[in-house]
Amino acid sequence: MSLPPHPSPKTPDLVLPDGACDAHCHVFGPGDVFPYSSSATYRPEDAPKEKLFALHKHLGLSRSVVVQASCHGTDNRAMVDALSAGNGNYRGIAMVERDVTETELQGLHDAGVRGVRFNFVAHLGEAADQDAVREIVAKIKPFGWHIVVHFDSHWLADLAPFLKDLDIVTVIDHMGRIDASAGVEQQAFQLLLELMEDERFWVKVCGSERLSRSGPPFHDAAEYGRLLVEKFPDRVLWGTDWPHPNIRNNMPDDGELVDLLKIIAPTPESLRRLVVDNPTRLYWSQTQ
């Protein structure tokens, strides 16, 4: 069983701009309504949409992108249920099988889904099959969707040519899960910078609690986010990652994660681009 999220996050010191978006969060269950996958590698505590909505209100976030969690597999119902309750202010990233139909994709699109996620992370099970990824990408391109890729940092050298060949907008989760103690010259971070020179690629400057080696308040990891925001200001996104699946210790305070944005995006202009303008362009520029 994964740890539950922080029970009483602080009110952030940083006041977010109007329209601020949490571009990476999840909903879990409730399990008696939306059962967890039998093949899931972890069993979370329920974290339903009502708790997510309350957290967003507390933090000053008015929009969100709900990312399908691996504990629900390709059963996207809990995520879609959250989007439906979000009144157009919530978008989604789904997980689908290679045999997904156009009708199923259209239903997800109508619900607010704008992309598909693929995992290449050991603790989440077997890595995505590359042939299946190609088939799915061909099916989602007509919808104007993008893909989100979640990988362990050591995968990037092998994955980069494959991802470039897919020829679709690609969002990289959690700064590529680099090691915050290894310095900016580490191969994984340099490969990430190289990949980001291709304008089809975006990166989420969140997950500091996962990348940090110094622990709370995770300033060591936030510095990498700052560098990415400075270098690629129009292709960066940020999110809470609530309810922080698979965190085994140092469960973050989501209010403190918002305050990390004072390091990651230290000017009003960079903050607005990160939490308002960029997610608007990627997730809300299309019609419903």
Side-chain angles (χ1 to χ4, degrees):
M1 178 73 75
S2 295
L3 290 176
H6 195 288
S8 55
K10 64 170 284 190
T11 299
D13 298 324
L14 179 65
V15 178
L16 294 171
D18 290 344
C21 176
D22 177 354
H24 189 100
C25 57
H26 311 281
V27 288
F28 296 158
D32 59 347
V33 179
F34 304 111
Y36 298 108
S37 171
S38 60
S39 61
T41 58
Y42 66 97
R43 173 63 185 253
E45 183 170 305
D46 286 348
K49 64 181 185 296
E50 292 82 6
K51 290 186 177 181
L52 178 62
F53 294 170
L55 175 74
H56 285 159
K57 183 176 181 180
H58 175 71
L59 298 178
L61 293 153
S62 58
R63 299 183 301 166
S64 177
V65 181
V66 182
V67 177
Q68 175 72 355
S70 62
C71 61
H72 279 294
T74 56
D75 180 352
N76 294 284
R77 288 179 298 160
M79 180 268 291
V80 167
D81 178 64
L83 304 191
S84 299
N87 297 318
N89 292 318
Y90 282 62
R91 290 289 193 248
I93 297 295
M95 293 178 66
V96 300
E97 301 284 359
R98 68 195 304 170
D99 61 354
V100 64
T101 67
E102 181 179 350
T103 299
E104 290 168 332
L105 291 174
Q106 185 64 59
L108 290 170
H109 186 83
D110 293 343
V113 170
R114 293 296 180 265
V116 169
R117 190 189 200 200
F118 300 104
N119 282 308
F120 299 88
V121 178
H123 71 258
L124 296 179
E126 187 175 350
D129 177 87
Q130 292 190 3
D131 288 336
V133 172
R134 291 188 183 94
E135 291 179 27
I136 292 167
V137 164
K139 291 180 178 183
I140 68 174
K141 275 186 177 181
F143 291 90
W145 289 9
H146 61 273
I147 64 171
V148 176
V149 289
H150 183 206
F151 52 77
D152 291 318
S153 60
H154 66 267
W155 275 87
L156 186 51
D158 291 331
L159 271 180
F162 168 70
L163 295 175
K164 287 183 177 182
D165 190 55
L166 292 174
D167 192 23
I168 191 171
V169 171
T170 300
V171 179
I172 299 167
D173 272 346
H174 304 320
M175 296 186 273
R177 295 183 69 99
I178 52 94
D179 178 349
S181 69
V184 296
E185 296 304 320
Q186 64 180 286
Q187 182 187 32
F189 191 63
Q190 290 301 309
L191 286 171
L192 176 61
L193 293 177
E194 182 181 329
L195 193 60
M196 286 294 297
E197 293 294 340
D198 185 326
E199 293 191 354
R200 295 172 298 176
F201 288 84
W202 295 53
V203 65
K204 294 178 186 173
V205 292
C206 54
S208 291
E209 71 280 8
R210 299 184 182 278
L211 312 183
S212 174
R213 298 298 183 267
S214 65
F218 315 120
H219 287 176
D220 56 334
E223 289 293 339
Y224 290 87
R226 180 182 59 79
L227 291 171
L228 290 165
V229 166
E230 286 180 357
K231 193 166 181 61
F232 310 104
D234 295 320
R235 288 181 286 119
V236 285
L237 301 164
W238 172 87
T240 61
D241 197 26
W242 187 91
H244 311 286
N246 290 301
I247 293 290
R248 302 300 181 187
N249 49 56
N250 290 328
M251 179 57 66
D253 178 319
D254 292 283
E256 292 180 353
L257 293 182
V258 170
D259 285 339
L260 274 184
L261 289 171
K262 291 187 285 186
I263 296 173
I264 295 170
T267 69
E269 179 183 6
S270 63
L271 179 63
R272 180 169 184 83
R273 281 185 175 184
L274 178 61
V275 300
V276 180
D277 297 343
N278 293 348
T280 297
R281 195 167 80 253
L282 190 59
Y283 290 99
W284 280 273
S285 61
Q286 302 181 53
T287 56
Q288 277 286 100

